Amino acid sequence: GRVMLSLHRIAPASGIRLASLAVGTGHVHKVDMSERPAFSGRLGVRGLFGVSNRAVELRDRLQTFMEEHVYPAERVYVKEMESAPSRWTVVPVVERLKAEAKRQGLWNLFLPEISGLSQLEYAHLAEITGRSPGIAPEAINCSAPDTGNMEVLHLYGSDEQKKQWLEPLLDGKIRSAFCMTEPAVASSDATNMECSIVRDGDQYVINGRKWWSSGAGDPRCKIAILMGRTGSHDVPKHKRHSMILVPMDTPGVKKIRPLHVFGYDEAPHGHYEINFEDVRVPLENMILGEGRGFEIAQGRLGPGRIHHCMRLIGMAERAVEMMCNRAISRYAFGKAIARQGIVQHQIAQSRIEIEQARLLTLNAADIIDKHGTKEARREIAMIKVVAPQIAQAIVDRAIQVHGGAGVCQDTPLPMFFAYARTLRIADGPDEVHLASLAKQELKKHFGSRI
């Protein structure tokens, strides 16, 4: 596992050169839509999507927090990871950042019922944290998979489940994992999942193997939400699966290995392959009820995809800054690389793609706020295709402009590339979202014949 350190970021507000780091990283909420001025500047979309004064104030405070605390902490993070006895450890500087974020009220901003922000408003903040994807989201307790798991417990959990697991997650005292994908089946079709959840008296017995269980490597990971099959084959396929809470210290839960992403172990959180053998949990650990897994998944994945896409846009912005800085400062064939026409075209194309992706993502967030996740499924599918693709393309251009420096540990660009490329598979591959979009489009013209 490698940690990427860059000296190529220039802070927009201060002009100070800073280190940059990248490491392994159906519900309608009613929001007061009155008096919503647009964000000004690059992070907003002027005149199209209004946000509250509180959101503007939080945006400004989060930017200051990034400049004063997160970016300077990136060098410290590298040193602490390198000196730790194990890569699967709690990094002290992140705990200090979390304490500071709590003190400043920059905490749990992703959850509307706590923050008072709409999905649209939080999207702007998620973009800012995407500039330091390995540190910033966790620093404000807004990192995956905890955000999705907390949303599940908040929306669908029982009072007892909330008290036992949601409260310590919201407080940042524990971490969690999400166990859905399986190595033995094509998990892009989630109805293929075979991990079984069988009722036996006052318990459920779980048997199966999961992989890409994000967050399971963290020593603070105490709970997993597992999706498995409870219904037989004569049950409608989208009613066969359920979500259940599995404490990580339950007998029969065995972590097999951390899975590397293009060679990165993404410690200290990681993505694990886990075997569940005769794992017994009480009946009250079932979330919402048997057969409700896909219903929960749709409520979980909608806002989560907004968060992922906006973080990718923030990451792409940082890659463009690095590309421009490199192009201005390096000379070849008698002139700055920035004066080469092809490099100018790459910079311009990157700017166009970022603005397009941001508009599309903010539109999806706005529809979720006004009409719910179900009504935004077309727009969510669009952004899940577009944002990772443009981020990957932009990072690839930045790598090319950096030359050899772009593919080694001196910049975060290799990790950025791995992150963007992975998200073209995670939360559903491009092809699944494109097929869904095509069916929705064809249905408009041909109705039930498709």
Side-chain angles (χ1 to χ4, degrees):
R2 300 184 290 275
V3 176
M4 303 319 233
L5 184 66
S6 166
L7 301 177
H8 296 272
R9 182 185 179 282
I10 298 179
S14 64
I16 300 172
R17 191 173 296 274
L18 297 170
S20 116
L21 167 78
V23 295
T25 172
H27 170 74
V28 182
H29 174 63
K30 300 300 182 184
V31 177
D32 182 6
M33 307 296 283
S34 63
E35 298 183 4
R36 288 160 59 97
F39 274 147
S40 61
R42 224 174 26 154
L43 293 174
V45 180
R46 293 179 290 275
L48 294 180
F49 299 103
V51 297
S52 65
N53 291 328
R54 170 171 164 75
V56 174
E57 186 245 341
L58 282 171
R59 184 276 309 267
D60 293 342
R61 285 167 50 197
L62 182 57
Q63 286 180 313
T64 301
F65 178 74
M66 295 286 288
E67 296 292 342
E68 294 182 354
H69 299 282
V70 174
Y71 297 131
E74 292 175 333
R75 285 184 181 273
V76 181
Y77 186 101
V78 173
K79 292 179 181 178
E80 291 183 349
M81 282 291 288
E82 289 176 345
S83 61
S86 167
R87 291 183 56 75
W88 309 100
T89 188
V90 176
V91 185
V93 70
V94 177
E95 296 305 299
R96 294 194 293 272
L97 288 173
K98 288 163 65 176
E100 180 62 26
K102 273 187 179 181
R103 189 187 69 79
Q104 294 192 24
L106 299 171
W107 192 255
N108 293 327
L109 300 175
F110 73 97
L111 198 58
E113 286 78 3
I114 290 179
S115 68
L117 300 174
S118 67
Q119 295 293 338
L120 173 65
E121 291 170 334
Y122 175 67
H124 289 280
L125 308 184
E127 177 180 339
I128 296 171
T129 66
R131 298 177 61 88
S132 185
I135 292 181
E138 183 182 357
I140 63 171
N141 210 39
C142 293
S143 58
D146 292 338
T147 48
N149 290 341
M150 287 188 275
E151 284 171 331
V152 165
L153 290 168
H154 177 76
L155 294 174
Y156 307 110
S158 67
D159 290 342
E160 183 180 344
Q161 290 168 350
K162 290 177 181 178
K163 183 172 181 59
Q164 186 174 6
W165 301 115
L166 178 59
E167 289 181 9
L169 281 168
L170 287 170
D171 200 34
K173 292 180 179 178
I174 66 171
R175 300 295 305 271
S176 62
F178 186 63
C179 303
M180 184 171 180
T181 306
E182 298 180 7
V185 298
S187 299
S188 57
D189 178 357
T191 63
N192 284 336
M193 285 185 293
E194 296 177 342
C195 180
S196 64
I197 305 173
V198 178
R199 182 168 179 168
D200 181 23
D202 61 353
Q203 295 180 320
Y204 284 106
V205 183
I206 303 167
N207 281 283
R209 182 167 294 208
K210 297 287 186 178
W211 70 345
W212 297 109
S213 300
S214 297
D218 196 302
R220 298 161 297 178
C221 180
K222 303 300 181 184
I223 188 69
I225 294 181
L226 178 142
M227 188 164 176
R229 181 168 49 80
T230 49
S232 61
H233 289 289
D234 58 350
V235 176
K237 64 180 182 179
H238 287 100
K239 299 291 185 181
R240 296 174 190 166
H241 293 81
S242 307
M243 288 197 187
I244 195 165
L245 290 160
V246 183
M248 292 297 289
D249 60 358
T250 306
V253 177
K254 183 179 180 181
K255 293 193 288 188
I256 305 298
R257 58 173 178 151
L259 300 167
H260 292 191
V261 181
F262 291 106
Y264 299 105
D265 63 6
E266 302 211 348
H269 312 303
H271 312 277
Y272 263 75
E273 183 173 354
I274 304 177
N275 193 52
F276 297 85
E277 184 175 355
D278 294 329
V279 175
R280 291 180 172 269
V281 298
L283 296 182
E284 52 266 29
N285 281 26
M286 181 64 66
I287 301 175
L288 197 59
E290 290 188 22
R292 310 289 291 275
F294 280 96
E295 177 185 345
I296 297 170
Q298 290 309 307
R300 179 188 195 276
L301 290 173
R305 286 169 177 158
I306 299 289
H307 307 167
H308 275 311
C309 291
M310 290 305 291
R311 284 193 292 263
L312 282 166
I313 291 166
M315 188 184 77
E317 283 279 13
R318 197 163 186 178
V320 169
E321 288 182 12
M322 292 176 62
M323 177 164 44
C324 291
N325 191 35
R326 182 76 170 186
I328 291 170
S329 63
R330 306 290 281 199
Y331 286 75
F333 306 104
K335 58 183 178 182
I337 295 173
R339 294 178 65 87
Q340 300 286 350
I342 189 170
V343 173
Q344 293 175 355
H345 291 173
Q346 289 174 334
I347 293 169
Q349 187 63 39
S350 298
R351 172 51 51 203
I352 291 168
E353 289 169 350
I354 285 176
E355 299 300 328
Q356 289 173 328
R358 183 186 288 116
L359 279 168
L360 202 60
T361 306
L362 294 178
N363 182 55
D366 194 44
I367 293 173
I368 290 177
D369 287 332
K370 293 175 179 176
H371 306 291
T373 301
K374 186 176 180 180
E375 292 301 314
R377 62 188 183 276
R378 185 185 69 156
E379 287 73 18
I380 292 169
M382 289 179 186
I383 65 171
K384 185 54 183 62
V385 173
V386 168
Q389 287 189 358
I390 69 102
Q392 180 187 337
I394 290 167
V395 173
D396 187 65
R397 293 178 197 129
I399 289 172
Q400 198 69 16
V401 169
H402 279 74
V407 295
C408 75
Q409 70 269 31
D410 290 348
T411 81
L413 293 173
M415 178 62 81
F416 282 0
F417 187 89
Y419 177 54
R421 184 63 185 86
T422 301
L423 280 175
R424 294 184 57 195
I425 298 172
D427 281 353
D430 291 357
E431 292 79 7
V432 169
H433 296 294
L434 289 168
S436 174
L437 277 169
K439 288 175 184 176
Q440 291 178 64
E441 192 67 22
L442 287 165
K443 191 173 182 179
K444 290 195 304 184
H445 301 282
F446 297 100
S448 60
R449 286 181 287 170
I450 298 298

PDB file of all heavy atoms in Angstrom, residues 46-63:
ATOM      1  N   ARG A  46     -24.085  29.542 -10.691  1.00  0.00           N
ATOM      2  CA  ARG A  46     -24.747  30.815 -10.508  1.00  0.00           C
ATOM      3  C   ARG A  46     -26.094  30.859 -11.219  1.00  0.00           C
ATOM      4  O   ARG A  46     -26.206  30.565 -12.402  1.00  0.00           O
ATOM      5  CB  ARG A  46     -23.840  31.939 -11.006  1.00  0.00           C
ATOM      6  CG  ARG A  46     -22.593  32.117 -10.163  1.00  0.00           C
ATOM      7  CD  ARG A  46     -21.712  33.231 -10.698  1.00  0.00           C
ATOM      8  NE  ARG A  46     -21.089  32.877 -11.957  1.00  0.00           N
ATOM      9  CZ  ARG A  46     -19.961  32.207 -12.053  1.00  0.00           C
ATOM     10  NH1 ARG A  46     -19.349  31.805 -10.958  1.00  0.00           N
ATOM     11  NH2 ARG A  46     -19.441  31.931 -13.230  1.00  0.00           N
ATOM     12  N   GLY A  47     -27.146  31.232 -10.455  1.00  0.00           N
ATOM     13  CA  GLY A  47     -28.435  31.496 -11.056  1.00  0.00           C
ATOM     14  C   GLY A  47     -29.297  30.280 -11.306  1.00  0.00           C
ATOM     15  O   GLY A  47     -30.449  30.420 -11.674  1.00  0.00           O
ATOM     16  N   LEU A  48     -28.787  29.058 -11.109  1.00  0.00           N
ATOM     17  CA  LEU A  48     -29.562  27.864 -11.436  1.00  0.00           C
ATOM     18  C   LEU A  48     -30.074  27.148 -10.196  1.00  0.00           C
ATOM     19  O   LEU A  48     -31.224  26.736 -10.148  1.00  0.00           O
ATOM     20  CB  LEU A  48     -28.714  26.912 -12.279  1.00  0.00           C
ATOM     21  CG  LEU A  48     -28.339  27.407 -13.676  1.00  0.00           C
ATOM     22  CD1 LEU A  48     -27.495  26.365 -14.381  1.00  0.00           C
ATOM     23  CD2 LEU A  48     -29.581  27.705 -14.489  1.00  0.00           C
ATOM     24  N   PHE A  49     -29.223  26.951  -9.207  1.00  0.00           N
ATOM     25  CA  PHE A  49     -29.603  26.232  -8.003  1.00  0.00           C
ATOM     26  C   PHE A  49     -29.321  27.111  -6.790  1.00  0.00           C
ATOM     27  O   PHE A  49     -28.177  27.407  -6.491  1.00  0.00           O
ATOM     28  CB  PHE A  49     -28.826  24.917  -7.878  1.00  0.00           C
ATOM     29  CG  PHE A  49     -29.076  23.965  -9.015  1.00  0.00           C
ATOM     30  CD1 PHE A  49     -28.132  23.810 -10.021  1.00  0.00           C
ATOM     31  CD2 PHE A  49     -30.248  23.234  -9.082  1.00  0.00           C
ATOM     32  CE1 PHE A  49     -28.350  22.932 -11.067  1.00  0.00           C
ATOM     33  CE2 PHE A  49     -30.473  22.357 -10.122  1.00  0.00           C
ATOM     34  CZ  PHE A  49     -29.535  22.207 -11.123  1.00  0.00           C
ATOM     35  N   GLY A  50     -30.374  27.508  -6.099  1.00  0.00           N
ATOM     36  CA  GLY A  50     -30.195  28.344  -4.926  1.00  0.00           C
ATOM     37  C   GLY A  50     -29.934  27.510  -3.683  1.00  0.00           C
ATOM     38  O   GLY A  50     -30.370  26.370  -3.578  1.00  0.00           O
ATOM     39  N   VAL A  51     -29.220  28.092  -2.740  1.00  0.00           N
ATOM     40  CA  VAL A  51     -28.949  27.426  -1.475  1.00  0.00           C
ATOM     41  C   VAL A  51     -29.183  28.409  -0.342  1.00  0.00           C
ATOM     42  O   VAL A  51     -29.220  29.619  -0.542  1.00  0.00           O
ATOM     43  CB  VAL A  51     -27.505  26.877  -1.411  1.00  0.00           C
ATOM     44  CG1 VAL A  51     -27.282  25.821  -2.476  1.00  0.00           C
ATOM     45  CG2 VAL A  51     -26.481  27.991  -1.546  1.00  0.00           C
ATOM     46  N   SER A  52     -29.340  27.883   0.859  1.00  0.00           N
ATOM     47  CA  SER A  52     -29.637  28.721   2.018  1.00  0.00           C
ATOM     48  C   SER A  52     -28.403  29.490   2.479  1.00  0.00           C
ATOM     49  O   SER A  52     -27.261  29.137   2.159  1.00  0.00           O
ATOM     50  CB  SER A  52     -30.147  27.850   3.167  1.00  0.00           C
ATOM     51  OG  SER A  52     -29.114  26.978   3.603  1.00  0.00           O
ATOM     52  N   ASN A  53     -28.649  30.536   3.249  1.00  0.00           N
ATOM     53  CA  ASN A  53     -27.539  31.299   3.817  1.00  0.00           C
ATOM     54  C   ASN A  53     -26.686  30.423   4.724  1.00  0.00           C
ATOM     55  O   ASN A  53     -25.467  30.590   4.797  1.00  0.00           O
ATOM     56  CB  ASN A  53     -28.081  32.501   4.600  1.00  0.00           C
ATOM     57  CG  ASN A  53     -28.692  33.549   3.691  1.00  0.00           C
ATOM     58  OD1 ASN A  53     -28.254  33.724   2.555  1.00  0.00           O
ATOM     59  ND2 ASN A  53     -29.714  34.235   4.184  1.00  0.00           N
ATOM     60  N   ARG A  54     -27.336  29.499   5.442  1.00  0.00           N
ATOM     61  CA  ARG A  54     -26.580  28.579   6.301  1.00  0.00           C
ATOM     62  C   ARG A  54     -25.624  27.734   5.487  1.00  0.00           C
ATOM     63  O   ARG A  54     -24.476  27.503   5.893  1.00  0.00           O
ATOM     64  CB  ARG A  54     -27.543  27.688   7.084  1.00  0.00           C
ATOM     65  CG  ARG A  54     -26.851  26.543   7.809  1.00  0.00           C
ATOM     66  CD  ARG A  54     -27.785  25.789   8.749  1.00  0.00           C
ATOM     67  NE  ARG A  54     -27.237  24.502   9.131  1.00  0.00           N
ATOM     68  CZ  ARG A  54     -26.254  24.320   9.985  1.00  0.00           C
ATOM     69  NH1 ARG A  54     -25.678  25.375  10.552  1.00  0.00           N
ATOM     70  NH2 ARG A  54     -25.810  23.116  10.284  1.00  0.00           N
ATOM     71  N   ALA A  55     -26.065  27.274   4.307  1.00  0.00           N
ATOM     72  CA  ALA A  55     -25.196  26.457   3.464  1.00  0.00           C
ATOM     73  C   ALA A  55     -23.996  27.258   2.968  1.00  0.00           C
ATOM     74  O   ALA A  55     -22.873  26.740   2.896  1.00  0.00           O
ATOM     75  CB  ALA A  55     -25.979  25.897   2.281  1.00  0.00           C
ATOM     76  N   VAL A  56     -24.232  28.525   2.629  1.00  0.00           N
ATOM     77  CA  VAL A  56     -23.126  29.385   2.200  1.00  0.00           C
ATOM     78  C   VAL A  56     -22.118  29.550   3.323  1.00  0.00           C
ATOM     79  O   VAL A  56     -20.898  29.472   3.128  1.00  0.00           O
ATOM     80  CB  VAL A  56     -23.657  30.760   1.743  1.00  0.00           C
ATOM     81  CG1 VAL A  56     -22.496  31.709   1.440  1.00  0.00           C
ATOM     82  CG2 VAL A  56     -24.541  30.612   0.514  1.00  0.00           C
ATOM     83  N   GLU A  57     -22.644  29.761   4.532  1.00  0.00           N
ATOM     84  CA  GLU A  57     -21.763  29.945   5.685  1.00  0.00           C
ATOM     85  C   GLU A  57     -20.968  28.672   5.978  1.00  0.00           C
ATOM     86  O   GLU A  57     -19.764  28.726   6.257  1.00  0.00           O
ATOM     87  CB  GLU A  57     -22.619  30.327   6.904  1.00  0.00           C
ATOM     88  CG  GLU A  57     -21.815  30.694   8.134  1.00  0.00           C
ATOM     89  CD  GLU A  57     -22.036  29.701   9.265  1.00  0.00           C
ATOM     90  OE1 GLU A  57     -23.036  28.968   9.244  1.00  0.00           O
ATOM     91  OE2 GLU A  57     -21.177  29.660  10.163  1.00  0.00           O
ATOM     92  N   LEU A  58     -21.618  27.504   5.882  1.00  0.00           N
ATOM     93  CA  LEU A  58     -20.913  26.245   6.100  1.00  0.00           C
ATOM     94  C   LEU A  58     -19.879  25.999   5.021  1.00  0.00           C
ATOM     95  O   LEU A  58     -18.788  25.479   5.293  1.00  0.00           O
ATOM     96  CB  LEU A  58     -21.914  25.085   6.144  1.00  0.00           C
ATOM     97  CG  LEU A  58     -22.693  24.906   7.452  1.00  0.00           C
ATOM     98  CD1 LEU A  58     -23.797  23.875   7.269  1.00  0.00           C
ATOM     99  CD2 LEU A  58     -21.760  24.491   8.586  1.00  0.00           C
ATOM    100  N   ARG A  59     -20.204  26.372   3.783  1.00  0.00           N
ATOM    101  CA  ARG A  59     -19.227  26.241   2.693  1.00  0.00           C
ATOM    102  C   ARG A  59     -17.967  27.021   3.002  1.00  0.00           C
ATOM    103  O   ARG A  59     -16.843  26.503   2.875  1.00  0.00           O
ATOM    104  CB  ARG A  59     -19.863  26.713   1.377  1.00  0.00           C
ATOM    105  CG  ARG A  59     -19.020  26.553   0.100  1.00  0.00           C
ATOM    106  CD  ARG A  59     -18.034  27.675  -0.155  1.00  0.00           C
ATOM    107  NE  ARG A  59     -18.615  28.996  -0.087  1.00  0.00           N
ATOM    108  CZ  ARG A  59     -19.096  29.661  -1.135  1.00  0.00           C
ATOM    109  NH1 ARG A  59     -19.066  29.095  -2.327  1.00  0.00           N
ATOM    110  NH2 ARG A  59     -19.586  30.885  -0.986  1.00  0.00           N
ATOM    111  N   ASP A  60     -18.137  28.275   3.437  1.00  0.00           N
ATOM    112  CA  ASP A  60     -16.985  29.124   3.741  1.00  0.00           C
ATOM    113  C   ASP A  60     -16.176  28.561   4.915  1.00  0.00           C
ATOM    114  O   ASP A  60     -14.943  28.550   4.898  1.00  0.00           O
ATOM    115  CB  ASP A  60     -17.450  30.542   4.055  1.00  0.00           C
ATOM    116  CG  ASP A  60     -18.044  31.241   2.831  1.00  0.00           C
ATOM    117  OD1 ASP A  60     -17.782  30.768   1.703  1.00  0.00           O
ATOM    118  OD2 ASP A  60     -18.777  32.229   3.014  1.00  0.00           O
ATOM    119  N   ARG A  61     -16.886  28.097   5.943  1.00  0.00           N
ATOM    120  CA  ARG A  61     -16.186  27.532   7.096  1.00  0.00           C
ATOM    121  C   ARG A  61     -15.456  26.247   6.746  1.00  0.00           C
ATOM    122  O   ARG A  61     -14.346  25.994   7.237  1.00  0.00           O
ATOM    123  CB  ARG A  61     -17.194  27.283   8.219  1.00  0.00           C
ATOM    124  CG  ARG A  61     -17.633  28.565   8.917  1.00  0.00           C
ATOM    125  CD  ARG A  61     -18.847  28.343   9.796  1.00  0.00           C
ATOM    126  NE  ARG A  61     -18.674  27.201  10.684  1.00  0.00           N
ATOM    127  CZ  ARG A  61     -19.683  26.601  11.309  1.00  0.00           C
ATOM    128  NH1 ARG A  61     -20.927  27.029  11.121  1.00  0.00           N
ATOM    129  NH2 ARG A  61     -19.459  25.581  12.117  1.00  0.00           N
ATOM    130  N   LEU A  62     -16.063  25.422   5.885  1.00  0.00           N
ATOM    131  CA  LEU A  62     -15.406  24.179   5.485  1.00  0.00           C
ATOM    132  C   LEU A  62     -14.156  24.465   4.655  1.00  0.00           C
ATOM    133  O   LEU A  62     -13.124  23.803   4.822  1.00  0.00           O
ATOM    134  CB  LEU A  62     -16.375  23.298   4.699  1.00  0.00           C
ATOM    135  CG  LEU A  62     -15.836  21.934   4.248  1.00  0.00           C
ATOM    136  CD1 LEU A  62     -15.351  21.106   5.428  1.00  0.00           C
ATOM    137  CD2 LEU A  62     -16.901  21.177   3.454  1.00  0.00           C
ATOM    138  N   GLN A  63     -14.229  25.450   3.764  1.00  0.00           N
ATOM    139  CA  GLN A  63     -13.047  25.822   2.993  1.00  0.00           C
ATOM    140  C   GLN A  63     -11.918  26.286   3.924  1.00  0.00           C
ATOM    141  O   GLN A  63     -10.758  25.918   3.723  1.00  0.00           O
ATOM    142  CB  GLN A  63     -13.395  26.920   1.995  1.00  0.00           C
ATOM    143  CG  GLN A  63     -14.194  26.422   0.803  1.00  0.00           C
ATOM    144  CD  GLN A  63     -14.524  27.548  -0.158  1.00  0.00           C
ATOM    145  OE1 GLN A  63     -14.971  28.621   0.251  1.00  0.00           O
ATOM    146  NE2 GLN A  63     -14.311  27.316  -1.432  1.00  0.00           N
TER     147      GLN A  63
END
